[in-house]
Amino acid sequence: MSLSIQTLCEADRRLVAAWAADCAERVLWVFEAEQPDDNRPREAIERCRAYARGELDTAAEIRRRFGGGSAAIGANPAPKAAARAAGQASAVCHMGAHALGAAAYASRAAALANPDNPQAGEDEIRWQLGHLTAAARTALQTLPPIGENRSGPLGPGLLASGEIGAIIRKLQRGLDGREL
């Protein structure tokens, strides 16, 4: 059985999981302000960090992925994007490409939570790219451009379309040092 190029090897998934958790955690406040009693996104981020540190088993985490993202159901747009960032981060254990999904939803949450700042989403992307380790950047650069590989989250679907797809395109350009 061959793995999708979007999976990344386990070592690289653990590297990018730490970054995805950082991205999701930066906007967690947006969700918690609306849903203070719902811990699912926070728990998803904590599991993602534990996975990144090698403390959790890949197979077990694959079975638990997206738990934080289910908190998005019924939430307003900004908290929904923050919850989806946590859900995408928790899914990195399955496929490394979900790290870009976590970052994109975090950027979206930042933009929606700051309607008076038209640069909030772009500022978040700049922070995300500046916060990458060299090893995580290298791992993410091995992913195919969004929409070009059908065998994973960067293929046709939610991450490749609309505003989230546009954000991922910006992230991928930024990984290569190109203008956002």
Side-chain angles (χ1 to χ4, degrees):
M1 180 176 100
S2 66
L3 294 177
S4 166
I5 190 171
Q6 295 184 50
T7 300
L8 300 179
C9 70
E10 184 175 336
D12 284 348
R13 287 195 312 270
R14 290 186 188 276
L15 281 173
V16 301
W19 176 74
D22 289 345
C23 293
E25 190 170 57
R26 280 180 51 88
V27 296
L28 182 59
W29 68 271
V30 175
F31 179 82
E32 290 180 335
E34 182 176 290
Q35 304 284 337
D37 297 326
D38 190 341
N39 293 324
R40 290 176 292 176
R42 180 170 294 282
E43 290 168 356
I45 292 168
E46 289 171 3
R47 282 194 326 274
C48 183
R49 287 197 189 288
Y51 175 77
R53 292 188 302 264
E55 297 169 3
L56 297 177
D57 175 71
T58 300
E61 286 309 295
I62 288 172
R63 288 189 295 278
R64 295 181 71 183
R65 71 187 188 275
F66 293 124
S70 61
I73 298 168
N76 287 315
K80 181 182 288 192
R84 286 187 173 156
Q88 288 288 315
S90 73
V92 171
C93 62
H94 175 242
M95 285 194 140
H98 285 292
L100 292 174
Y105 276 111
S107 173
R108 179 78 175 127
L112 290 168
N114 295 287
D116 295 335
N117 179 0
Q119 286 299 113
E122 297 283 329
D123 291 345
E124 193 65 19
I125 292 170
R126 283 186 193 84
W127 179 89
Q128 293 166 348
L129 292 170
H131 190 70
L132 270 168
T133 65
R137 179 181 299 272
T138 298
L140 290 171
Q141 286 173 323
T142 68
L143 294 170
I146 191 163
E148 289 188 12
N149 179 276
R150 300 185 66 78
S151 62
L154 298 179
L158 288 178
L159 291 184
S161 61
E163 189 160 352
I164 296 301
I167 294 168
I168 291 175
R169 283 178 188 81
K170 288 178 185 178
L171 283 162
Q172 287 189 310
R173 282 193 306 273
L175 287 171
D176 294 335
R178 292 180 280 160
E179 190 73 25
L180 296 181

